[in-house]
Amino acid sequence: MRSFSDSYKEAGVNIEAGYEGVKLMRRHVERTLIPGVVSDIGGFGGLFAPDLTGMTEPVLVSGTDGVGTKIRIAQLLDKHDTVGIDCVAMCVNDIICCGAKPLFFLDYIAIGKNAPEKVATLVSGVAEGCVQAGCALIGGETAEHPGLMAAEDYDLAGFSVGIVDKPQVLDNTQMRPGDVILALPSSGVHSNGFSLVRKVFDVEHADLNTYSAELGRTLGEALLEPTVIYVKPVLAATSAAEVRGVSHITGGGFYENIPRCLPEGLTVKIEKAALRTPPIFPLLQKTGSIPEHDMFNTYNMGVGMTVIVSPATADKALEALRQNGCDAYPIGEVVSGGERVVLC
């Protein structure tokens, strides 16, 4: 007997559309399969058997996050194939801050009305993010929310688990004055601060498809640019150099995120002139008359991650990062002091 409920459909939930969505997303999920995947999609749980070879004390590291109100830009542009990359990035970029390699990912899509093609497109972005991170998409959930969300609305969140050998967990106990701060370039706003972005650019009424000479593309294209996934370059750097701290620059910008990897009594001194800031940030600051402090306290300003390394291994770290597609560069150093972040 086929699974179907007229009563549930009359209440606004079409379970057959859910089944169709699973069929359409299967080819995207298959792109992410890596050694260790035990289960197929469609079960009650995703199974993964990690390779523990060479590990003395394996530690699991987890992270969860969502795309936030950047999704509204995707909805306005009717372009849904990249926000899944953001969803993966916001999770895996967090767990690599302690040196963990992401193993697998699960997504959660809440949608007003289940449109199988749209859901599959969203999952295609999630799958692309998993490929970039080298992890498997082993499960997820699509929940139809009639009456709670408008038919065209959706939200996207995710959850990732990684692994690291306990002796290899990155900590800040060896951080010293003179350590070098490396910037890993961002692709733009990434996936934070979009409530302010939407207010400043009045996106509900703006023409997001109009070409901007300042940006070299449309405003919509610049805002929807996916978050960079730093997994492979950061893991390469931790193998090649003495990495003493890693920070993912998300909401809260420099002032909130960089101190999370600092021990007491140390400060990061950053040269603003060294930063390679994409044009979306000065346009945002100018259009919204946003104070400089607020920009650095909300956005990444072109620095998606910072990696703090010993001076003796800074060149090795830069080489490893660049060999893995990340054009990293130095932006300052660690100094003694009470303030946590100094921009000069």
Side-chain angles (χ1 to χ4, degrees):
M1 180 181 294
R2 70 191 182 103
S3 176
F4 183 80
S5 171
D6 284 320
S7 299
Y8 208 10
K9 187 173 183 179
E10 289 174 3
V13 177
N14 186 351
I15 57 176
E16 287 195 326
Y19 301 148
E20 179 63 20
V22 172
K23 286 196 291 186
L24 292 175
M25 69 178 68
R26 183 173 295 276
R27 64 186 177 91
H28 302 300
V29 174
E30 289 174 349
R31 294 182 57 216
T32 75
L33 298 183
I34 60 175
V37 177
V38 176
S39 59
D40 194 5
I41 61 170
F44 287 102
L47 279 64
F48 192 93
D51 182 3
L52 305 180
T53 304
M55 291 192 178
T56 59
E57 296 180 78
V59 177
L60 295 178
V61 183
S62 61
T64 185
D65 209 336
V67 183
T69 63
K70 182 175 184 175
I71 282 176
R72 185 57 184 157
I73 310 299
Q75 292 171 342
L76 290 168
L77 293 172
D78 194 24
K79 189 178 188 305
H80 312 286
D81 60 338
T82 61
V83 287
I85 300 174
D86 293 292
C87 188
V88 175
M90 298 308 293
C91 297
V92 298
N93 284 347
D94 277 354
I95 67 177
I96 61 170
C97 289
C98 65
K101 172 182 170 55
L103 296 174
F104 57 83
F105 188 86
L106 292 89
D107 61 20
Y108 179 85
I109 300 169
I111 192 165
K113 182 178 181 180
N114 195 339
E117 293 81 8
K118 179 185 285 187
V119 170
T121 300
L122 287 167
V123 173
S124 74
V126 175
E128 173 59 27
C130 288
V131 169
Q132 292 182 24
C135 66
L137 177 58
I138 63 170
E141 173 70 12
T142 301
E144 206 166 6
H145 288 174
L148 186 62
M149 305 175 74
E152 297 299 316
D153 285 350
Y154 64 86
D155 195 13
L156 176 61
F159 173 84
S160 185
V161 171
I163 194 167
V164 62
D165 200 11
K166 191 173 181 179
Q168 304 302 317
V169 173
L170 297 179
D171 62 48
N172 58 21
T173 57
Q174 299 302 309
M175 195 177 295
R176 300 287 186 271
D179 285 349
V180 179
I181 307 165
L182 304 180
L184 280 57
S186 73
S187 59
V189 183
H190 281 183
S191 192
N192 301 102
F194 269 84
S195 294
L196 181 56
V197 165
R198 292 184 298 112
K199 176 185 176 183
V200 168
F201 291 125
D202 190 19
V203 299
E204 298 296 328
H205 304 99
D207 184 355
L208 297 176
N209 290 308
T210 298
Y211 179 83
S212 167
E214 289 179 82
L215 300 175
R217 51 181 170 171
T218 69
L219 177 60
E221 288 171 335
L223 294 179
L224 208 54
E225 183 71 35
T227 305
V228 177
I229 292 177
Y230 299 101
V231 171
K232 294 176 182 178
V234 169
L235 291 179
T238 60
S239 296
E242 189 177 349
V243 175
R244 294 174 171 174
V246 179
S247 293
H248 184 198
I249 313 301
T250 55
F254 284 45
Y255 289 107
E256 181 177 319
N257 291 289
I258 299 179
R260 293 167 71 176
C261 79
L262 296 178
E264 290 297 324
L266 292 183
T267 298
V268 291
K269 184 179 179 182
I270 295 172
E271 299 177 18
K272 288 186 291 184
L275 301 180
R276 303 171 186 172
T277 304
I280 186 64
F281 293 108
L283 178 62
L284 176 63
Q285 183 176 5
K286 179 180 67 174
T287 304
S289 300
I290 303 172
E292 181 183 77
H293 177 275
D294 291 1
M295 291 295 295
F296 279 95
N297 211 154
T298 307
Y299 299 106
N300 65 65
M301 301 301 286
V303 181
M305 280 195 131
T306 56
V307 175
I308 297 176
V309 297
S310 66
T313 64
D315 288 342
K316 291 180 179 179
L318 284 169
E319 182 180 2
L321 290 163
R322 290 167 180 168
Q323 285 182 349
N324 284 271
C326 184
D327 189 20
Y329 60 98
I331 57 170
E333 65 176 339
V334 176
V335 297
S336 298
E339 288 189 68
R340 306 299 274 165
V341 178
V342 174
L343 301 176
C344 57

